Amino acid sequence: MTHDTAVSKAREIAINVLGPSAGQNDKAGQFSTDAVKALGEAGLLGLLLTVDFGGSGLSPRTFAAVTATLAEADASVAMVYLMHILGTLAIVTARAGAAQALAPILREIGAGRHLSTLAFSEAGSRSHFWAPISRAYRNGNGVNISAKKSWVTSAGHAHSYVVSALAPEGSGPTDSTLYLVVAETRGLSVAGPWDGLGLRANASAPIALNDCQVPSDFQLTDDGAGFPAMLNVVLPLFSLGSSAVALGLCRAAVAGTTSHLKSAKFEHLGQSLGESLPTLRAQLAAMQIDTDGLSARVDDLVEHLEKPRETTMLRVLETKAAAGDVAISVTSAAMRTCGGAAFSKHLNIERLFRDAHAGAVMAPTGDVLREFIGKSLLGIPLF
Ligand SMILES: Cc1cc2nc3c(=O)[nH]c(=O)nc-3n(C[C@H](O)[C@H](O)[C@H](O)COP(=O)(O)OP(=O)(O)OC[C@H]3O[C@@H](n4cnc5c(N)ncnc54)[C@H](O)[C@@H]3O)c2cc1C
């Protein structure tokens, strides 16, 4: 599969599967198993995996383009996809000792039959995902973990969860280890409903791990090496993917607003809204400018990830922070520009507006990112 084929497959799924059901799934808070099936059949679940595992061996550039394309139609599905790609990344970059045990799971992902996700955030440490409260305890053949994971995208639908916990002998708050916990593990359960303001169809419910046994083969990082894996492996692609979701939302807001300004009429004036009101044209133009600005930021981050340099981590932090703000600003402008029609839910704009608010609160939150950037500019330690 090439970059272009992957993006055109994502577009087909967006048009044929996501578009027709996004509104209904949002209303009902219903996870789309059809979407995951379509992504699997199209070979998109194994996008970044090498061909040895049946993947396509494509790069973060394609991941960003596919994710933005999905988000234009349904940001809930795009977030499910993003979390799956990150879960897969954590599995495929696991320590050498786990490679043999994890190979069948990676082949299932390559075949499009396995959905993964991340379970980092905990009720106790909230958005500070780098400091789990839970701890793994050795049991002779691996570890036992009990944890309250507060939000897990695809909860109850994923086949595996990449779970963080303090390492058995860890002494500091960031001495964590990552483990792979398969869905059928005894003691793992969905611990509550998901009824969010936005991204309502992505099942971001809490999960509980109650004395779950994890064999040593499924320990993804060395003891205490969870923290660097979260920061250096997962965070860069999370920033890219969540910025791509924001970009898709902005593009959908511009398209929805354009269509409304062309089709809604002042019959007494014989003009469309867009023909009649320069203020609305200016708002639409500002939305387009911000959307293209975000697109340039996403391209810049891709370029920094492809050719890492001193400024790469700064771009990782900046891009997610900026994307969260731009998505809220562009979808808010769309709400204002489309007026009562948007407010009364006659258009999909209010779904985009609600979905756009998730990016800024997903960890690392926009506030935390600005705090990290400010501290690093001033030479103050981040943790
Ligand atoms: C739709 C959705 C899907 C999610 N999916 C997942 C998932 O798949 N896996 C997962 O692990 N987690 C997931 N999360 C959890 C998410 O990543 C955050 O951990 C969670 O949203 C934070 O919740 P909180 O507001 O309670 O955090 P709090 O820590 O209580 O934050 C409250 C406020 O304080 C601010 N704040 C906190 N710390 C600082 C600081 N140091 N400096 C400045 N401001 C600060 C925050 O920005 C926020 O505005 C998801 C969340 C959502 C909403």
Side-chain angles (χ1 to χ4, degrees):
M1 182 151 47
T2 63
H3 172 92
D4 289 345
T5 353
V7 178
S8 86
K9 282 180 183 218
R11 191 163 298 121
E12 257 173 54
I13 293 172
I15 293 169
N16 299 324
V17 183
L18 273 47
S21 58
Q24 191 47 42
N25 286 341
D26 169 66
K27 203 175 261 179
Q30 185 165 317
F31 184 94
S32 177
T33 44
D34 289 347
V36 174
K37 187 164 175 273
L39 291 166
E41 286 170 358
L44 295 176
L45 293 185
L47 191 80
L48 303 186
L49 284 181
T50 58
V51 283
D52 316 356
F53 296 116
S56 310
L58 287 165
S59 69
R61 181 178 293 277
T62 310
F63 160 60
V66 165
T67 305
T69 303
L70 298 176
E72 271 185 65
D74 187 341
S76 283
V77 172
M79 189 56 71
V80 166
Y81 183 67
L82 156 58
M83 287 300 180
H84 162 78
I85 292 290
L86 298 178
T88 304
L89 186 66
I91 302 170
V92 81
T93 55
R95 69 199 172 92
Q100 204 184 342
L102 296 172
I105 290 183
L106 289 170
R107 281 195 289 273
E108 280 295 288
I109 293 176
R113 292 190 292 258
H114 184 110
L115 184 74
S116 196
T117 191
L118 301 180
F120 289 172
S121 305
E122 296 197 358
S125 50
R126 309 182 71 90
S127 62
H128 298 185
F129 65 89
W130 54 86
I133 303 296
S134 63
R135 182 179 294 279
Y137 291 94
R138 296 204 190 283
N139 63 16
N141 175 35
V143 293
N144 278 32
I145 304 175
S146 293
K148 286 183 185 161
K149 296 292 180 180
S150 41
W151 283 270
V152 181
T153 293
S154 308
H157 298 275
H159 300 95
S160 66
Y161 300 84
V162 173
V163 167
S164 55
L166 286 173
E169 291 82 28
S171 53
T174 60
D175 291 344
S176 63
T177 306
L178 299 185
Y179 300 90
L180 188 68
V181 181
V182 291
E184 51 277 9
T185 303
R186 188 135 43 94
L188 185 146
S189 60
V190 176
W194 168 242
D195 184 16
L197 173 77
L199 296 188
R200 290 178 47 75
N202 80 353
S204 291
I207 63 164
L209 286 88
N210 188 7
D211 219 13
C212 289
Q213 286 190 17
V214 184
S216 57
D217 282 352
F218 279 25
Q219 178 179 329
L220 299 178
T221 65
D222 287 331
D223 287 324
F227 178 61
M230 286 189 232
L231 288 202
N232 300 325
V233 179
V234 175
L235 179 60
L237 278 210
F238 178 61
S239 169
L240 180 63
S242 65
S243 303
V245 172
L247 179 58
L249 283 164
C250 290
R251 285 182 176 155
V254 170
T257 305
T258 304
S259 155
H260 183 67
L261 296 190
K262 278 178 155 176
S263 59
K265 301 265 188 282
F266 284 128
E267 287 183 21
H268 61 298
L269 301 176
Q271 286 182 320
S272 67
L273 289 187
E275 286 166 334
S276 184
L277 294 172
T279 46
L280 300 187
R281 294 195 291 272
Q283 290 267 28
L284 178 64
M287 288 165 60
Q288 178 69 43
I289 292 165
D290 287 349
T291 301
D292 284 341
L294 176 56
S295 177
R297 272 194 186 279
V298 169
D299 288 345
D300 172 66
L301 178 56
V302 166
E303 212 257 317
H304 272 77
L305 295 177
E306 284 174 349
K307 293 192 200 109
R309 64 201 85 153
E310 211 183 315
T311 45
T312 297
M313 189 44 92
L314 186 59
R315 289 297 202 284
V316 165
L317 305 177
E318 285 174 355
T319 308
K320 182 184 178 290
D325 289 347
V326 172
I328 289 173
S329 151
V330 167
T331 56
S332 303
M335 285 296 291
R336 254 193 334 275
T337 309
C338 296
F343 191 82
S344 320
K345 304 187 181 179
H346 297 162
L347 308 168
N348 72 347
I349 302 289
E350 60 83 33
R351 169 166 57 85
L352 307 175
F353 172 77
R354 288 185 286 103
D355 288 352
H357 281 73
V361 301
M362 288 184 77
T365 69
D367 297 320
V368 167
L369 289 165
R370 281 182 284 275
E371 176 69 348
F372 284 176
I373 293 166
K375 277 184 170 172
S376 72
L377 289 174
L378 296 171
I380 300 169
L382 301 197
F383 296 97

